[in-house]
């Protein structure tokens, strides 16, 4: 059957991302909130409003046996920031795909995932295609390969990278969005592995000398102990959107000292601090974060810093990991692009003794979230994001259920860790 099935047609379906696109630079400069909206004039190119609904474009591959498989293209929530691709434009992206990708998709035998991606997108990262295109097209091709081979998507990835078939779940990390207290309760009640993100994206939420943020850390710890089961001991992970550096200056020693204080506030819980500072470029971020890591080692804190901004592509991730410029790296899938690059990035992190966090964005879709599970599970990442959206319930349901279904499927077929073979 693998030799008979080819891609006969390509179809498109306009869709919604689960959350919103936000102009990060405008928010950082202190615009006001009006309910769920931000008031003021957007700064980042492509934005007509500071917060606007996320969009997506589904790409369907119609196979010669009448099966149709799907992938979704979209931007991350903070499109256009920190070296990322511009804001997603559905009409523009569809035009690009029709012109440059569709002709290469027609007639492809999708049974070999890597070969199909290389043929459709071009070797070496797609030759200038937007990463949203690489992300969505590779999703559809992965599902096609799994369908033709009659295996799970995780098994396809494991086989491509010569990894054992996954036999255990990956810890799930959830984010609160703007509901920074109610959603913490939801996470605790659902026994989420790692929480809460916290959306500390403004001066108001960080506070002078970081006191508002530190009080929030203490509140989260108290809430876990009050609401959670006695045996519940999640990891803590806070994204501070560069506000440690904005408040204390870009001095690694001061930044490390503040992180150590936050670790004391965590009172026995492991704590990650994502994006403590924004040094303005990939090169500067690598150097600055390496120095922060060294200062944290000198202090002796158990806290970890997480790289995100300016760490977008597989090559960026490799550079951060090899330089020791983070304890944990967010592999933000829509920014990385091709799915196989995300899988390779996990391997790169592990090879360099750095934690691998398979992430993404609230602006993604149910399709991309479900497929992300297979990448994270195949590579046995250290953690993965519950996505899409910021409502907790929906994201946890999609990601956690897909993990359980995958493990149940493999168990039902008596798949063992030795099953995966080189493609």
């Amino acid at each position: 059957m693998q030799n008979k099935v080819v891609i006969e047609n390509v179809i498109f379906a306009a869709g919604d991302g689960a959350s919103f696109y936000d102009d990060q630079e405008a928010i950082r400069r202190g615009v006001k909130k009006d309910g769920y909206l931000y008031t003021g004039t957007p700064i980042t190119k492509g934005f007509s409003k500071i917060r606007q609904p996320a969009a997506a474009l589904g790409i369907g591959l119609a196979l010669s046996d009448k099966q149709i498989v799907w992938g979704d293209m979209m931007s991350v929530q903070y499109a256009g920031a920190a070296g990322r691709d511009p804001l997603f434009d559905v009409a523009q992206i569809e035009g690009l795909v029709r012109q440059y990708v569709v002709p290469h998709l027609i007639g492809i035998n999708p049974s070999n995932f890597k070969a199909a991606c290389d043929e459709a997108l071009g070797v070496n990262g797609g030759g200038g295609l937007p990463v949203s295109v690489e992300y969505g097209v590779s999703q559809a091709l992965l599902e096609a390969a799994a369908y033709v081979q009659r295996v799970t998507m995780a098994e396809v990835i494991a086989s491509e990278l010569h990894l054992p078939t996954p036999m255990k779940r990956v810890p799930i990390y959830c984010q609160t969005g703007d509901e920074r207290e109610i959603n913490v309760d939801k996470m605790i009640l659902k026994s989420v592995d790692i929480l809460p993100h916290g959306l500390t994206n403004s001066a108001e939420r960080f506070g002078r000398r970081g006191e508002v943020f530190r009080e929030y850390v203490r509140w989260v710890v108290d809430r876990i102990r009050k609401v959670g089961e006695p045996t519940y001991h999640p990891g803590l992970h806070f994204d501070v959107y560069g506000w440690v550096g904005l408040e204390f200056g870009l001095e690694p020693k001061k930044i490390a000292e503040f992180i150590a204080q936050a670790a004391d506030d965590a009172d026995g819980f492991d704590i990650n601090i994502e994006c403590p500072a924004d040094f303005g470029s990939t090169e500067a971020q690598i150097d600055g974060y390496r120095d922060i890591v060294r200062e944290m080692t000198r202090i002796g804190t158990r806290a970890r810093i997480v790289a995100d901004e300016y760490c977008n592509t597989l090559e960026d991730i490799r550079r951060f990991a090899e330089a020791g410029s983070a304890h944990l790296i967010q592999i933000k899938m829509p920014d990385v692009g091709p799915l196989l690059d995300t899988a390779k990035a996990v391997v790169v992190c592990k090879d360099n003794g750095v934690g691998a966090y398979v992430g993404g964005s609230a602006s993604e879709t149910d399709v991309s979230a479900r497929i992300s599970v297979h990448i994270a599970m195949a590579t046995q990442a250290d953690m993965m994001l519950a996505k899409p959206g910021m409502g907790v319930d929906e994201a946890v349901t999609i990601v956690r259920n897909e993990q359980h279904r995958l493990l149940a499927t493999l168990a039902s077929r008596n798949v063992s860790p030795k099953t995966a073979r080189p493609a």
Side-chain angles (χ1 to χ4, degrees):
M1 181 175 181
Q2 290 185 25
N3 295 325
K4 296 179 181 179
V5 176
V6 297
I7 299 170
E8 282 193 338
N9 193 20
V10 179
I11 60 178
F12 296 91
D16 296 328
S19 187
F20 292 79
Y21 294 143
D22 287 347
D23 183 346
Q24 186 181 69
E25 184 58 30
I27 294 170
R28 183 176 284 176
R29 294 189 188 187
V31 294
K32 300 297 184 182
K33 289 291 294 290
D34 176 15
Y36 195 66
L37 308 177
Y38 289 98
T39 60
T41 303
I43 294 172
T44 302
K45 183 179 179 180
F47 281 83
S48 58
K49 299 178 181 178
I50 294 173
R51 170 167 282 174
Q52 56 193 70
L57 179 63
I59 180 168
L61 307 181
L63 306 181
S64 54
D65 66 352
K66 309 308 178 186
Q67 178 75 10
I68 298 178
V69 295
W70 288 92
D72 281 343
M73 299 173 273
M74 78 294 294
S75 293
V76 296
Q77 181 176 1
Y78 299 106
R84 300 186 178 101
D85 273 9
L87 188 68
F88 189 80
D89 183 295
V90 171
Q92 180 188 42
I93 292 297
E94 182 174 342
L96 284 171
V97 175
R98 287 188 183 277
Q99 181 176 358
Y100 295 108
V101 181
V102 170
H104 298 285
L105 283 168
I106 302 300
I108 284 181
N109 178 336
S111 60
N112 185 311
F113 174 56
K114 182 180 184 302
C117 286
D118 287 346
E119 189 169 348
L121 299 171
V123 183
N124 299 324
L129 287 170
V131 291
S132 59
V133 172
E134 297 173 332
Y135 188 41
V137 172
S138 62
Q139 289 171 40
L141 287 170
L142 177 59
E143 188 152 8
Y147 167 74
V148 173
Q149 294 181 36
R150 297 294 190 263
V151 296
T152 64
M153 290 181 283
E155 289 170 282
V156 173
I157 294 297
S159 178
E160 288 285 358
L161 297 184
H162 307 174
L163 300 172
T165 305
M167 302 305 291
K168 63 180 182 179
R169 70 182 193 89
V170 169
I172 295 171
Y173 159 54
C174 204
Q175 51 188 351
T176 62
D178 286 308
E179 297 294 331
R180 299 168 75 238
E181 295 183 351
I182 292 296
N183 279 343
V184 166
D185 281 359
K186 289 183 179 182
M187 295 173 192
I188 296 170
L189 292 173
K190 291 176 180 286
S191 298
V192 170
D193 301 300
I194 303 159
L195 73 160
H197 182 267
L199 198 66
T200 305
N201 63 343
S202 67
E204 180 183 11
R205 286 178 174 173
F206 190 70
R208 180 166 175 76
R209 313 311 286 173
E211 282 305 319
V212 174
F213 169 70
R214 291 186 61 188
E215 178 58 33
Y216 182 64
V217 173
R218 292 190 288 268
W219 178 85
V220 170
V221 169
D222 290 343
R223 200 66 180 162
I224 290 169
R225 289 176 171 150
K226 181 177 181 180
V227 177
E229 297 294 328
T231 57
Y232 179 56
H233 195 84
L236 304 182
H237 185 121
F238 298 90
D239 192 342
V240 296
Y241 292 85
W243 274 100
V244 183
L246 288 169
E247 179 67 18
F248 292 93
L250 297 177
E251 297 183 35
K253 183 174 183 291
K254 290 183 178 180
I255 293 170
E257 287 172 348
F258 177 82
I259 293 171
Q261 291 172 346
D264 291 340
D265 295 328
D267 195 23
F269 289 87
D270 292 335
I271 185 171
N272 302 330
I273 303 294
E274 183 172 344
C275 194
D278 185 338
F279 288 88
S281 70
T282 299
E283 197 67 44
Q285 199 84 337
I286 290 171
D287 291 342
Y289 274 41
R290 181 180 56 237
D291 291 342
I292 295 171
V293 169
R294 289 172 177 170
E295 286 294 331
M296 291 172 68
T297 300
R298 180 187 62 79
I299 293 170
T301 179
R302 294 177 55 196
R304 304 191 299 176
I305 63 166
V306 185
D308 177 9
E309 308 294 78
Y310 304 105
C311 189
N312 300 322
T313 67
L314 173 59
E315 183 56 31
D316 293 339
I317 293 163
R318 187 186 310 279
R319 292 180 64 197
F320 271 81
E322 290 178 351
S325 295
H327 301 99
L328 181 70
I329 293 176
Q330 178 178 181
I331 304 165
K332 188 167 282 188
M333 297 182 69
D335 287 335
V336 174
L339 290 181
L340 201 55
D341 277 7
T342 287
K344 290 177 180 177
V346 175
V347 175
V348 165
C349 288
K350 290 189 171 187
D351 286 347
N352 286 277
V354 175
Y357 155 31
V358 171
S361 181
S363 61
E364 293 194 57
T365 69
D366 56 322
V367 169
S368 67
R370 182 177 58 83
I371 292 173
S372 298
V373 168
H374 290 257
I375 307 299
M377 294 275 283
T379 56
Q380 287 293 284
D382 294 281
M383 57 188 272
M384 75 165 296
L385 180 65
K387 58 183 181 178
M390 290 284 198
V392 177
D393 303 309
E394 302 83 359
V396 170
T397 296
I398 289 172
V399 171
R400 185 181 278 171
N401 287 356
E402 187 68 14
Q403 286 201 16
H404 291 163
R405 282 190 290 263
L406 172 57
L407 292 175
T409 298
L410 296 174
S412 74
R413 295 196 274 105
N414 297 315
V415 173
S416 73
K418 298 180 180 180
T419 300
R421 301 181 301 278

